[in-house]
Amino acid sequence: MKSIPNCCAAGSTETSPASGRRAWLKTGAGTGAAVLMAGIGLRTEDAEAASLSQAQRDALTPDKVIEMMKKGNQRFRSGKLQAHDYLAQKRSSASGQYPAAVILSCIDSRAPAEILLDMGIGDTFNARIAGNIANKDLMGSLEFACAAAGAKVVLVMGHTACGAIKGAIDNVQLGNLTGLLDTIKPAVAATTYAGERTSKNAAFVDAVARTNVQQTIDTLRSGSPTLSDLEKKGQIKIVGSMYDLSNGALTFLS
């Protein structure tokens, strides 16, 4: 990619004066982050304030980013969230962004990915669409996030009690939503379930949601040679997860 528009540029390589390591990275990466901080001369007192720098993001592996996500969700569930200074994060990321991951999630108002993972401004790209499906436009966005801007992880996040899943099960017809739900319907047919296969059965709805996450991942791998090639080279990981609205837990799927 020869050039990136200013509206979504990955940013310059210059480090802002406030580019200290935030607690999200320090806590998630443990001693490795401490070594990284010493190695690039960052000030720990700025840790909670600044967004990720390019050097910090590039030093992470996909597995380390996933581990940081898991620890962030643990903090969310325990009520021990970081004290984010969003204004400082805004200032430090204004001249460039270096997110560590891109999250494809549902539009459900109860499942805001950044909050559930205790992340700040500049940590992740976020794509939201009903039923966390993938179409060409979304795949293009994910390709930008990874191939052009350097994100290390693509996280597909489904959730329990998903209205889009229920709509697909019930064969809802409603304007442009009809076509979106048609994308989900193969997951309904592909879900093995011995009980009642209706939208009134919460267990079946959640089973279909898990199948839908996997089918979205399959779509990304088959529909985007760019993402597939990056994953084969070990530069990114494409992973799935399910968020439980009742207990706040984000479970990563194998």
Side-chain angles (χ1 to χ4, degrees):
M1 191 169 186
K2 294 183 179 180
S3 64
I4 302 173
N6 289 335
C7 65
C8 54
S12 69
T13 57
E14 295 180 359
T15 303
S16 109
S19 62
R21 190 56 135 178
R22 286 208 336 278
W24 179 74
L25 182 57
K26 183 178 67 175
T27 303
T31 57
V35 172
L36 178 61
M37 290 170 66
I40 60 180
L42 297 172
R43 299 187 305 154
T44 56
E45 60 265 30
D46 293 332
E48 293 181 2
S51 58
L52 290 172
S53 72
Q54 184 175 17
Q56 292 164 347
R57 192 278 311 284
D58 290 350
L60 295 169
T61 65
D63 285 336
K64 184 61 68 177
V65 175
I66 293 170
E67 181 62 24
M68 290 157 60
M69 288 178 168
K70 291 178 178 179
K71 290 185 176 181
N73 181 244
Q74 290 172 1
R75 292 194 299 275
F76 169 75
R77 294 187 68 198
S78 67
K80 298 179 180 179
L81 298 172
Q82 297 173 98
H84 291 282
D85 186 338
Y86 291 116
L87 289 179
Q89 291 169 19
K90 172 190 68 69
R91 289 190 294 268
S92 67
S93 62
S95 61
Q97 60 170 338
Y98 306 99
V102 55
I103 303 171
L104 173 55
S105 61
C106 183
I107 65 169
D108 195 290
S109 65
R110 301 163 293 178
E114 302 98 317
I115 296 174
L116 309 180
L117 297 175
D118 192 21
M119 295 181 177
I121 294 173
D123 283 340
T124 63
F125 289 106
N126 297 277
R128 301 187 69 175
I129 186 169
N132 41 271
I133 64 165
N135 57 25
K136 289 185 177 180
D137 293 330
L138 277 168
M139 283 190 279
S141 297
L142 303 187
E143 288 169 351
F144 164 77
C146 296
K152 303 294 185 73
V153 172
V154 176
L155 177 65
V156 179
M157 191 178 88
H159 66 91
T160 60
C162 180
I165 299 296
K166 293 178 181 178
I169 294 171
D170 290 340
N171 194 32
V172 168
Q173 306 288 306
L174 178 62
N176 291 313
L177 179 62
T178 303
L180 186 153
L181 298 180
D182 286 342
T183 305
I184 299 174
K185 287 179 182 178
V188 179
T191 299
T192 301
Y193 190 82
E196 181 185 1
R197 298 174 64 90
T198 72
S199 64
K200 296 180 180 180
N201 185 348
F204 178 61
V205 171
D206 294 348
V208 174
R210 287 190 293 272
T211 303
N212 184 56
V213 167
Q214 186 56 59
Q215 292 204 344
T216 296
I217 291 174
D218 293 343
T219 297
L220 294 179
R221 288 174 174 154
S222 63
S224 173
T226 299
L227 294 177
S228 179
D229 184 58
L230 288 172
E231 187 176 41
K232 289 175 182 176
K233 291 178 178 177
Q235 295 177 343
I236 69 169
K237 278 195 171 182
I238 304 174
V239 294
S241 64
M242 279 289 293
Y243 175 65
D244 192 321
L245 295 177
S246 64
N247 62 22
L250 185 69
T251 301
F252 282 72
L253 308 177
S254 58

